[in-house]
Amino acid sequence: MIPKTALALVFGATAAGAQAPQVAVDIAPVHALVAQVMQGVGAPELIVPPGASPHGYALQPLQMRSLSQADAVIWVGPALTPWLDAPLDVLASDASQLVLMDAPQMLKLKVREGAGFHGRDPGDGVEEVGTDAALPDATAGNIDPHAWLAPENAALWMLEIAVVLGALDPDNALTYEENARDGAAALAGLTSEVNAILEPVRSRPFVVSHDAFQYFERSFHMPAIAALSGGDGQDPDLVGAAQIREVIQTAGATCVLSEPQLDSGLADAVGAARMGVADPLGATLDPGPALYGDLLRGLATALAACLRN
């Protein structure tokens, strides 16, 4: 007897060959989640190419074409890519849109302020349920949009993605749903794997160069003590750098977790002894279904190596 999942994939692939929905996605980690949901049916298009910053990007003709042809656009939201909001109104006005930061029941964290976070509970500022509209103080300006780094959000988003795609493509709705549920279930194993990588260094203090990692920090109980620049990527001024240097010296932190596209000289300016390079976007990874898991493993491995004596 052929399992139901196998039958769904066979018939889903047949239907997709005729008319798979065209789906445009903003960043590589979200693209990976959508690609998992669409396996056996089709493949999404990536808007922000690997290595580019989502905080500021100029759309190229190829991406404009992808948006204009899209049946659905799936993106984190204007808090991460404010420059994408207006082009969507023009290029993808007829497409279904899924703004992932509006998903109900997702974990939301407020933007952290000040030079240092040391002494705070990693759960401080958490908004665990509701959409932006349902939270009076949860506006695009004070909610951290790097929410894909929490695997619990990734699991919820895959289910939301399946609903949107199933409405567009009823013939493959069962495939989308089963792929989403399988992907969400696999994240439990990924979480255990990442926790095992981090366990030997869990109590050691570290600093991040760009405050993009707090969802990862909270999910895996590894709170940073400070950030050299805010979540929007703006560098601190001289006063801020001096405050961060004091926080680092007081806590005895030796590791700064930086990103490939950022200036490593900023870490030198605040007196960090060791630099680890971690990428919250997967710039060096091949886009596709496997990228999300590889991304979280890579973050954990880079942080553990930086903190290891």
Side-chain angles (χ1 to χ4, degrees):
M1 180 178 179
I2 301 176
K4 182 176 70 172
T5 302
L7 284 171
L9 289 173
V10 169
F11 289 118
T14 301
Q19 199 172 12
Q22 297 190 60
V23 183
V25 186
D26 56 353
I27 59 172
V30 174
H31 178 270
L33 301 178
V34 178
Q36 289 183 56
V37 176
M38 293 187 72
Q39 285 188 103
V41 177
E45 296 286 336
L46 179 61
I47 299 302
V48 181
S53 171
H55 296 298
Y57 178 71
L59 283 173
Q60 302 301 304
L62 183 61
Q63 288 99 42
M64 292 181 185
R65 181 181 178 186
S66 294
L67 289 174
S68 68
Q69 295 179 342
D71 299 305
V73 178
I74 298 171
W75 59 311
V76 174
L80 181 72
T81 53
W83 51 268
L84 187 55
D85 208 0
L88 285 181
D89 289 340
V90 176
L91 298 171
S93 59
D94 294 332
S96 298
Q97 284 195 38
L98 175 60
V99 178
L100 294 171
M101 289 301 293
D102 289 346
Q105 307 303 316
M106 65 169 284
L107 171 68
K108 292 182 181 180
L109 300 175
K110 293 180 181 178
V111 171
R112 297 186 287 199
E113 298 179 354
F117 319 130
H118 187 55
R120 299 184 190 176
D121 186 295
D124 284 353
V126 173
E127 299 287 4
E128 294 199 8
V129 296
T131 64
D132 285 353
L135 298 168
D137 62 343
T139 65
N142 66 11
I143 293 296
D144 185 338
H146 303 85
W148 64 89
L149 293 179
E152 56 264 51
N153 281 342
L156 185 150
W157 287 354
M158 280 194 280
L159 299 176
E160 294 287 319
I161 291 163
V163 171
V164 169
L165 296 182
L168 281 173
D169 182 17
D171 289 339
N172 288 305
L174 179 60
T175 300
Y176 298 136
E177 180 182 351
E178 292 189 345
N179 284 347
R181 293 192 181 281
D182 288 346
L187 288 174
L190 176 63
T191 298
S192 296
E193 186 179 347
V194 171
N195 274 321
I197 295 170
L198 294 172
E199 189 59 38
V201 296
R202 196 173 296 283
S203 62
R204 299 177 187 177
F206 68 99
V207 172
V208 293
S209 60
H210 166 215
D211 194 17
F213 298 96
Q214 71 163 323
Y215 287 92
F216 180 88
E217 297 166 31
R218 185 186 184 279
S219 292
F220 298 105
H221 310 290
M222 288 286 293
I225 63 168
L228 305 187
S229 67
D232 58 1
Q234 297 296 316
D235 290 347
D237 55 24
L238 292 177
V239 173
Q243 292 174 333
I244 292 168
R245 189 182 305 114
E246 182 179 354
V247 169
I248 290 173
Q249 292 172 349
T250 300
T254 59
C255 169
V256 171
L257 194 64
S258 186
E259 298 172 45
Q261 68 273 26
L262 298 182
D263 181 8
S264 62
L266 189 58
D268 297 335
V270 296
R274 191 178 302 119
M275 174 72 73
V277 178
D279 180 12
L281 289 166
T284 62
L285 302 174
D286 293 331
L291 181 142
Y292 186 80
D294 292 341
L295 173 67
L296 292 194
R297 292 185 197 95
L299 288 177
T301 300
L303 180 55
C306 188
L307 289 170
R308 201 170 290 124
N309 290 331

